[in-house]
Amino acid sequence: MLQMIWFRTDLRVQDNSALAAAMGSGPTVALYLISPAQWLAHDDAPSKVDFWLRNLKNLADELGKLNVPLLVRHADDWSAAPQVIAELCQQLQTSTVHANEEYGVHESRRDQAVSEALDELGITFTSHLDQLFFKPGSVLTQSGTYFKVYSQFRKVCYQRLHSALPTVLAPPKAQAQLAISSDAVPEQVSGFATPSETLRQLWPAGEAEARRRIDDFAAEHIDFYQSTRDFPAKPGTSQLSAYLAAGVISPRQCLHAALSANQGEFDSGNPGVVTWINELLWREFYKHILVGYPRVSMHRAFRAETEALAWRNAPIELKAWQEGRTGLPIIDAAMRQLLATGWMHNRLRMVVAMFVTKNLLIDWREGERFFMRHLIDGDLAANNGGWQWSSSTGTDSAPYFRIFNPLSQSQKFDPDGRFIRQWLPELVGLNKSNIHNPAAMGGLFGIADYPAPIVDLSKSRSRALAAFKSLPHFAGTEAP
Ligand SMILES: Cc1cc2nc3c(=O)[nH]c(=O)nc-3n(C[C@H](O)[C@H](O)[C@H](O)COP(=O)(O)OP(=O)(O)OC[C@H]3O[C@@H](n4cnc5c(N)ncnc54)[C@H](O)[C@@H]3O)c2cc1C
């Protein structure tokens, strides 16, 4: 009986649970849905949609080598998915549809609706664990609830990994040719502008590129990850996030590459490897949070007591931040990196997010949305987790009184100003002591087109502390 694999954010043929299950059960066709209205509603960035399409094209070639035809259908938003899939399955006489689990509320509802529509036709819908090492709901506290604290979650993950390490699946074997031809993959989808060629070249599509990145990172950089990962001017991190988010590489493939650089150890041995695997577990943690506490994927704060915070409505300051014109070089350089490349270094994501939510006291949801609209690696769970961590509204988040000072972060993590000079050419002539805070030179630096800081860091810090302390939950608490 004909099987179908419905690809979503799992755009690869290697180590793909649903593809392996489908091909192991019978002749298989593949499906991908183009859903522009849904993508717009989810604030998916044009660079990310372009990355999906480029990877889809690559995937079609890889599937071609396996004789699996790829069908591309349109379902403007996911409410149309059940009908589109049901009709196609009837037309092809498909017995089973396989898909890899996705964890947002909308994704779960979509899959439920598709499953029910297929069920009425006697077609089976099966979903597979693929994006994560552990199924959400399988890593719980002793009282049976989802963890809220990362270190406790990680401890249980380590125990599980010790007892049963997830394995990488064998490469799929080609099936006999089917009398079904593949559809062309669109170059572009209306509503999503094609990004610049420079941006595209930073993120080449395809499993081979993802493999090259992980191999290079494991061979050359992972050993030094712990000491280099916080310095945005250094190539200290894997730059795999876009590939992981689109599923061009699996977390299992990443885990095994890291383990082989550390004699199979994940919680001892090389500290670089251990630290990097911990990041894969942060990714895991936030996806479990999404399922355990679905309010976070519905624009609600994880900590309900912070919902009453008096965020400021400050559109001019928000725009200055979005455009990299705050007058604080590290913030502006980071935002320009985001706008030009679709990616931002993790240390800087934390610094700019704290700046928005604490120094500007602007609602974290504004920043979350703007990031999502520009990140090539935009991922609901990680992005929401990162924003709610920075704004002290999330699970296991930064305490509200620990507010990063952008100037000291800049001096510490970009000591020579190399990163700032790369993104702010107007400051290229400043030496390494002045570049972090040109305003301190009292207008003597003669750079006409670089703005004065839009906010006083010390006063705005006090304003943020006061806003948090005015919440009943935090009343009477003091910064240590
Ligand atoms: C405000 C904010 C927003 C963020 N938004 C996203 C997002 O939309 N998509 C996204 O993938 N990551 C997001 N992150 C997490 C992190 O910044 C990126 O995953 C990382 O910078 C990607 O670069 P890399 O691949 O070189 O990471 P590496 O340091 O090489 O880490 C390896 C992988 O681990 C995962 N990872 C690393 N750090 C985290 C983390 N803190 N939380 C969850 N997963 C992590 C990523 O998949 C990453 O590719 C955000 C962080 C913050 C503070």
Side-chain angles (χ1 to χ4, degrees):
M1 291 292 272
L2 191 66
Q3 310 289 308
M4 179 180 285
I5 155 116
W6 174 17
F7 281 101
R8 294 97 70 95
T9 45
D10 53 348
L11 303 178
R12 65 181 187 284
V13 299
Q14 299 298 329
D15 193 39
N16 185 319
S17 310
L19 178 66
M23 294 189 77
S25 308
T28 299
V29 290
L31 168 68
Y32 187 80
L33 295 183
I34 304 281
S35 302
Q38 191 68 49
W39 298 342
L40 282 173
H42 280 178
D43 295 312
D44 290 318
S47 61
K48 188 170 71 175
V49 169
D50 175 69
F51 190 63
W52 286 341
L53 296 178
R54 289 188 289 127
N55 277 291
L56 192 60
K57 203 159 188 187
N58 214 282
L59 177 68
D61 293 343
E62 295 302 317
L63 287 170
K65 294 178 195 162
L66 301 174
N67 294 323
V68 175
L70 174 66
L71 306 176
V72 180
R73 292 289 183 274
H74 194 95
D76 205 24
D77 64 32
W78 289 341
S79 64
Q83 195 185 344
V84 170
I85 297 177
E87 279 175 14
L88 184 63
C89 285
Q90 279 185 303
Q91 187 193 329
L92 297 174
Q93 298 191 336
T94 310
S95 68
T96 310
V97 174
H98 300 262
N100 288 314
E101 287 173 3
E102 293 189 315
Y103 302 107
V105 162
H106 293 158
E107 287 77 359
S108 305
R109 287 185 188 149
R110 172 203 60 195
D111 287 355
Q112 185 60 33
V114 168
S115 174
E116 284 164 13
L118 293 179
D119 195 45
E120 280 180 20
L121 302 171
I123 301 167
T124 311
F125 178 82
T126 52
S127 57
H128 304 264
L129 175 68
D130 187 75
Q131 267 190 14
L132 294 172
F133 301 132
F134 309 108
K135 198 175 171 66
S138 71
V139 181
L140 298 175
T141 63
Q142 285 186 344
S143 53
T145 56
Y146 277 78
F147 280 101
K148 296 177 183 172
V149 179
Y150 166 73
S151 56
Q152 296 166 0
F153 171 83
R154 184 184 61 192
K155 198 169 153 205
V156 177
C157 289
Y158 278 166
Q159 288 163 358
R160 298 283 171 83
L161 290 172
H162 268 297
S163 57
L165 199 62
T167 50
V168 172
L169 299 164
K173 292 200 177 70
Q175 63 184 16
Q177 287 246 338
L178 300 179
I180 301 171
S181 43
S182 295
D183 294 326
V185 173
E187 299 277 338
Q188 207 197 351
V189 170
S190 101
F192 299 90
T194 303
S196 72
E197 211 38 52
T198 320
L199 187 150
R200 284 176 139 194
Q201 280 171 12
L202 290 171
W203 311 104
E207 287 180 71
E209 172 63 17
R211 189 75 242 172
R212 189 197 65 70
R213 284 183 184 227
I214 185 70
D215 289 346
D216 175 65
F217 181 69
E220 306 289 337
H221 302 284
I222 200 168
D223 286 355
F224 315 105
Y225 180 72
Q226 194 190 27
S227 53
T228 56
R229 71 191 185 119
D230 276 317
F231 295 87
K234 294 185 181 169
T237 71
S238 69
Q239 302 221 342
L240 274 166
S241 49
Y243 299 83
L244 271 163
V248 184
I249 194 166
S250 75
R252 295 179 294 251
Q253 289 172 300
C254 291
L255 177 67
H256 282 275
L259 291 178
S260 53
N262 195 32
Q263 281 92 43
E265 287 293 321
F266 50 80
D267 56 354
S268 60
N270 187 301
V273 178
V274 176
T275 311
W276 196 69
I277 292 174
N278 285 343
E279 295 305 322
L280 294 180
L281 294 177
W282 268 108
R283 175 183 171 279
E284 184 98 6
F285 176 62
Y286 282 137
K287 286 192 189 284
H288 283 237
I289 289 285
L290 209 59
V291 180
Y293 306 97
R295 62 181 178 273
V296 302
S297 74
M298 294 187 276
H299 308 294
R300 310 311 303 170
F302 178 85
R303 303 183 66 165
E305 65 270 21
T306 63
E307 285 286 8
L309 210 109
W311 301 111
R312 293 171 65 238
N313 178 24
I316 294 174
E317 291 165 28
L318 179 63
K319 195 152 190 284
W321 172 77
Q322 292 172 339
E323 293 174 355
R325 293 185 291 99
T326 66
L328 290 150
I330 196 69
I331 303 282
D332 295 341
M335 294 307 289
R336 293 197 207 172
Q337 178 182 44
L338 172 65
L339 297 175
T341 69
W343 185 87
M344 188 192 290
H345 189 277
N346 179 58
R347 166 62 47 183
L348 301 178
R349 294 190 202 205
M350 295 191 286
V351 172
V352 304
M354 280 243 183
F355 178 75
V356 169
T357 57
K358 303 290 172 58
N359 295 98
L360 300 183
L361 202 60
I362 291 176
D363 195 328
W364 56 272
R365 283 161 275 237
E366 293 284 359
E368 182 195 27
R369 185 181 315 125
F370 187 77
F371 261 36
M372 211 57 189
R373 286 181 178 170
H374 290 86
L375 281 173
I376 194 163
D377 65 16
D379 171 83
L380 173 63
N383 195 40
N384 184 275
W387 276 95
Q388 295 221 44
W389 182 89
S390 307
S391 61
S392 309
T393 61
T395 169
D396 205 5
S397 53
Y400 76 89
F401 46 78
R402 236 185 68 206
I403 300 179
F404 288 173
N405 179 317
L407 299 182
S408 33
Q409 291 284 313
S410 183
Q411 283 153 351
K412 191 165 173 196
F413 296 114
D414 189 29
D416 301 327
R418 263 174 57 208
F419 180 80
I420 294 177
R421 270 184 220 100
Q422 183 188 350
W423 292 104
L424 302 181
E426 60 269 46
L427 299 186
V428 85
L430 295 190
N431 65 30
K432 67 179 189 183
S433 71
N434 290 331
I435 197 156
H436 305 286
N437 186 14
M441 297 168 71
L444 294 175
F445 59 100
I447 299 161
D449 50 358
Y450 192 69
I454 59 169
V455 71
D456 178 297
L457 292 178
S458 160
K459 284 186 192 150
S460 58
R461 180 177 190 279
S462 305
R463 180 174 64 189
L465 291 176
F468 271 89
K469 277 195 236 165
S470 73
L471 295 173
H473 181 83
F474 297 106
T477 56
E478 282 305 325

